Amino acid sequence: MSDANDADRRKFLIDGIRVAGVVSAGVLGGFLAGRRGQAGETRWQIDPDKCVGCGNCATHCVLDESAVKCVQCFDMCGFCNRCTGYYTLDGLDSRDTAAEDLLCPTEAIIRTFVEGKAGQNFYEYTIDTNACIGCAMCVKGCALMNGSLYLQVMHDRCVNCNECAIAIACPSDAFVNPTSEKPYRLKRVAEGVIRQKAGKKDTAAQLLIDQVQSSE
Amino acid sequence: MNNLFRSCLALVLVAMPIGMVSAEGVPDLMFPVPEFANHPIPTASVPHTEGEVPAVWDIAILLVALCLASYFTLVSRSRKSQLALTIACLLWFGFWRQGCVCPVGATQNVALAIADPSYVVPVTAVAFFILPLIFTLFFGRTFCASVCPLGAMQELIAVRTVAVPRWLDHSLGLLAYVYLGAAVIFAATKTGFIVCRWDPFIPFFRLGGNTDMLVFGGSILAIGLVVGRPYCRYLCPYGAILRLLSCFSKWRLSIPGDTCVNCQLCEDVCPYGAIHPPTVKQTPESRKRGKRQFALAVFAAPVVIASFWWVGSTLAVPLAMWHPESRLAEQVRLEETGEATESTDASDAFRGSGMALEELYASAISRRGEFTYLGGLLGVWIGIVVGFKLIHISARRQRDDYQADRAGCVSCGRCYWYCPVEKVRLGLITDISEVLPDGKTLVPLSAVRKS
């Protein structure tokens, strides 16, 4: 008799705990899912205004080839002949293309002549994304001048880890979590110009601005 | 230094013409963006977000996998189907989705979401955390059996395992709860997601990783060859939650009770030490000793909890130092007092950001206070776990037949794969005597009990 009572009591207790567990799990899930509001999934991104170009992005990514690459914001670029993002400081005077005169270790920056004007030559610098390893050598160099070169997490490569390995190693807390619809960041000073361009029916600028989360 | 160089450079290059400022140019550039006659300024482009599986799909696949796992474990009782599902889940959640999102890591997202309302928790993370919990409350740890990619890696290599001594198994099992507690407080304080950082199988899923991860993952796999599921049993924080919940599950994998022939195959074959043999009848003496042990454990528990609480609170400083900002504050303080001569990237970045020193110190000091409390809480948690374990192992239970451990069983299905009674049920053999060596007979357990 007491054995049967014991078994009953035990069963009642276990049933009670199970029901309580299911209810609380449901409530927690509903509460968390409800509180999220309209915000979608998030992606990792670098805030270019906070980035200090330490070089950790090239080495700390879980991918063999880092998901971080350099981006050239042409609307901030001076198209300088003496580019501190392209040449090493020693290379600025000679301006030849010997490897020791170039900052980029993988020759991922392509320099093309655009125009000569008032005795001054202008060059355009574009990034070969396949060659870029995200080492930020050029970013640091360019920061001495206009700072048009900056790093971004490329979302055709990024696997969106729950905790980004580069974010852990980032010394300046530059990694942010924008939404997956707008997973990129622009430099704050360039945003106005790109928006203006987009307003003037520039499709490329519109395409860019659609993917960029405003820094505010 | 940078500023000095900047101004020198500006002087050197002052000869550059500056009369070509475009009308809507960026205001504070060192050199204006030139305007070209027949070359419009291009706009930078960025690649689209690709390869993203919609959240609904992720959740639906998990749900289907959980249903199948529970069906294979409890209804069809087929280890072959389970293995096929295990491999499918390993390929999908592990190698294709590359281990993210997983319920083990999602525990931290949920902890952070509870602690910080401003954190936007991905809906997949919430679903991945909740769904296996609910399934476990009804069907036991079927998630561990065939859905979890981390479990799958270890399940597939656990072919020649040795039994871990009970005392070692019990003590190592506590680690998972410590890990769970630490993971929750570190996630809640935004210190970091340590479970993701030390996920041993991520380098295998992604076919690449840094040396630390490869060494850690490699050793877990190597240990997994001789000890069944070392990560699941001794480290997995989510497994720790599931162990607790599966004690209250409605149905679970069971070994045929009345038809058991006492062959011991299930106990021998279980790589996880999760099958307990029938208990022997206690002598009055051993019963007395057991009671004394139990009483001792009950009285020791509060002392254990209090002492762990004390240890936990004294660990506030080392715990807080896990937070990058606290490390930065310490580094800056050392630099200010002259004890550190070389600055780090982080301290340089801090000085460049223009944030006030007092602000950084104040935040670090308040975090230390927070960790005194949280460390104490972690201590209490560990104390409760240790205390409960002491009570649990000193309590004597009566078992009349072979039983799977409610908490430790991961429902892998090996026991009934080998079970001769099951083989008869499946029609593989017509009688149990067919699988016995010549001249040997087995006594059914029910007969043993009667005698």
Side-chain angles (χ1 to χ4, degrees):
Chain A
M1 182 62 196
S2 79
D3 268 6
N5 265 345
D6 258 11
D8 271 0
R9 205 178 300 137
R10 207 185 167 89
K11 189 174 176 308
F12 177 75
L13 195 70
I14 288 182
D15 281 349
I17 293 176
R18 177 176 341 107
V19 171
V22 171
V23 169
S24 49
V27 168
L28 176 68
F31 168 70
L32 289 178
R35 203 181 56 189
R36 299 170 61 253
Q38 294 303 305
E41 307 288 293
T42 56
R43 307 284 301 196
W44 290 99
Q45 193 47 272
I46 300 171
D47 183 347
D49 290 308
K50 278 189 179 173
C51 172
V52 291
C54 64
N56 281 352
C57 288
T59 49
H60 281 76
C61 186
V62 291
L63 300 173
D64 280 346
E65 187 188 333
S66 176
V68 173
K69 305 268 178 186
C70 183
V71 172
Q72 161 74 301
C73 180
F74 299 99
D75 294 280
M76 284 177 72
C77 180
F79 291 78
C80 314
N81 186 3
R82 300 163 67 89
C83 175
T84 51
Y86 186 70
Y87 290 113
T88 61
L89 293 183
D90 294 333
L92 272 178
D93 293 323
S94 65
R95 288 199 301 285
D96 57 25
T97 48
E100 71 268 24
D101 285 343
L102 304 182
L103 274 176
C104 184
T106 56
E107 289 190 53
I109 306 179
I110 301 148
R111 169 176 150 113
T112 35
F113 176 71
V114 180
E115 211 173 287
K117 217 170 174 181
Q120 197 66 40
N121 286 339
F122 290 96
Y123 290 86
E124 187 171 272
Y125 300 90
T126 44
I127 309 289
D128 175 2
T129 318
N130 289 326
C132 176
I133 54 165
C135 68
M137 297 296 282
C138 59
V139 175
K140 263 180 140 168
C142 187
L144 301 170
M145 312 266 262
N146 278 9
S148 69
L149 294 169
Y150 59 87
L151 295 183
Q152 291 282 268
V153 178
M154 294 299 178
H155 287 299
D156 55 340
R157 311 183 54 80
C158 173
V159 289
N160 205 26
C161 303
N162 201 13
E163 186 186 49
C164 174
I166 314 173
I168 304 166
C170 179
S172 58
D173 203 15
F175 270 73
V176 286
N177 265 124
T179 64
S180 60
E181 294 87 56
K182 291 178 176 290
Y184 290 92
R185 281 281 185 116
L186 274 172
K187 280 217 168 176
R188 214 155 284 151
V189 287
E191 214 176 304
V193 181
I194 308 276
R195 277 191 196 285
Q196 259 177 352
K197 271 175 113 176
K200 288 180 185 167
K201 305 267 186 291
D202 184 327
T203 45
Q206 187 59 51
L207 211 62
L208 178 64
I209 220 77
D210 283 345
Q211 298 188 60
V212 166
Q213 191 183 47
S214 197
S215 2
E216 273 73 51
Chain B
M1 181 64 195
N2 268 359
N3 282 342
L4 188 71
F5 180 79
R6 243 173 132 131
S7 28
C8 289
L9 209 65
L11 280 176
V12 173
L13 301 169
V14 83
M16 277 190 76
I18 48 168
M20 290 170 282
V21 193
S22 58
E24 65 255 16
V26 181
D28 51 356
L29 293 180
M30 189 176 280
F31 300 102
V33 182
E35 268 183 13
F36 300 118
N38 43 19
H39 182 79
I41 304 292
T43 302
S45 65
V46 284
H48 279 282
T49 312
E50 271 176 27
E52 187 151 316
V53 179
V56 183
W57 273 107
D58 260 344
I59 298 169
I61 290 171
L62 175 72
L63 197 62
V64 170
L66 282 170
C67 290
L68 283 178
S70 306
Y71 179 81
F72 293 150
T73 308
L74 300 174
V75 185
S76 75
R77 292 166 70 98
S78 154
R79 164 108 177 128
K80 268 188 195 152
S81 323
Q82 270 189 326
L83 265 181
L85 182 65
T86 306
I87 292 168
C89 286
L90 176 64
L91 291 178
W92 173 256
F93 291 113
F95 290 98
W96 182 256
R97 299 288 284 122
Q98 304 203 313
C100 270
V101 56
C102 83
V104 185
T107 313
Q108 303 163 101
N109 297 62
V110 171
L112 176 55
I114 293 170
D116 176 14
S118 69
Y119 168 68
V120 182
V121 56
V123 75
T124 27
V126 176
F128 269 62
F129 177 71
I130 301 278
L131 282 177
L133 296 188
I134 293 176
F135 268 79
T136 302
L137 278 170
F138 283 99
F139 310 110
R141 294 170 65 182
T142 50
F143 167 77
C144 300
S146 10
V147 184
C148 180
L150 308 178
M153 284 288 273
Q154 300 166 84
E155 177 71 40
L156 296 178
I157 59 163
V159 279
R160 282 245 177 268
T161 54
V162 295
V164 180
R166 282 273 165 219
W167 64 269
L168 189 62
D169 192 52
H170 281 303
S171 342
L172 286 176
L174 294 173
L175 276 181
Y177 294 94
V178 178
Y179 196 18
L180 171 67
V184 167
I185 67 164
F186 282 144
T189 52
K190 287 191 171 178
T191 303
F193 284 5
I194 53 169
V195 178
C196 297
R197 213 173 289 182
W198 293 331
D199 186 326
F201 302 115
I202 282 290
F204 299 105
F205 294 153
R206 299 199 171 145
L207 307 177
N210 61 35
T211 325
D212 299 358
M213 285 167 88
L214 279 168
V215 169
F216 180 50
S219 12
I220 293 279
L221 272 190
I223 296 170
L225 289 171
V226 284
V227 177
R229 293 199 184 218
Y231 185 77
C232 303
R233 281 158 81 190
Y234 307 128
L235 282 174
C236 181
Y238 194 65
I241 304 177
L242 294 185
R243 286 171 88 88
L244 290 179
L245 294 187
S246 82
C247 293
F248 308 107
S249 67
K250 188 159 180 64
W251 302 281
R252 75 184 64 77
L253 178 145
S254 60
I255 298 150
D258 281 338
T259 48
C260 178
V261 291
N262 201 12
C263 69
Q264 276 192 18
L265 272 177
C266 56
E267 193 195 354
D268 286 348
V269 86
C270 180
Y272 314 125
I275 291 186
H276 300 301
T279 46
V280 286
K281 195 142 178 66
Q282 283 185 311
T283 57
E285 204 175 289
S286 74
R287 186 184 292 266
K288 203 173 166 191
R289 201 173 54 232
K291 272 186 179 162
R292 202 179 307 134
Q293 225 173 43
F294 184 77
L296 197 69
V298 170
F299 284 113
V303 182
V304 170
I305 295 174
S307 41
F308 271 104
W309 168 78
W310 179 78
V311 172
S313 357
T314 55
L315 288 177
V317 174
L319 283 176
M321 277 314 227
W322 281 73
H323 197 287
E325 206 184 44
S326 295
R327 280 204 301 274
L328 171 65
E330 175 66 7
Q331 173 67 24
V332 172
R333 188 188 67 81
L334 289 178
E335 283 173 26
E336 291 295 314
T337 55
E339 282 170 68
T341 43
E342 289 206 0
S343 65
T344 60
D345 277 341
S347 65
D348 288 343
F350 165 73
R351 293 212 164 82
S353 73
M355 187 181 163
L357 209 57
E358 289 71 29
E359 217 177 306
L360 178 70
Y361 287 167
S363 129
I365 289 169
S366 85
R367 181 168 303 108
R368 195 169 61 194
E370 209 173 277
F371 267 101
T372 313
Y373 168 70
L374 287 172
L377 221 55
L378 177 65
V380 168
W381 165 247
I382 298 172
I384 290 175
V385 170
V386 173
F388 191 79
K389 186 65 146 186
L390 286 178
I391 295 174
H392 186 77
I393 51 177
S394 49
R396 293 256 171 259
R397 260 164 245 86
Q398 178 76 27
R399 260 189 313 270
D400 294 332
D401 40 30
Y402 281 91
Q403 273 174 15
D405 189 273
R406 279 170 175 259
C409 170
V410 294
S411 6
C412 68
R414 277 189 181 80
C415 45
Y416 53 67
W417 196 22
Y418 282 86
C419 180
V421 178
E422 278 289 314
K423 284 198 160 61
V424 175
R425 185 185 73 89
L426 293 171
L428 294 173
I429 51 175
T430 49
D431 193 72
I432 290 164
S433 55
E434 283 179 35
V435 289
L436 292 177
D438 286 338
K440 197 172 177 197
T441 50
L442 278 174
V443 189
L445 200 60
S446 45
V448 177
R449 244 177 273 145
K450 272 179 202 131
S451 62

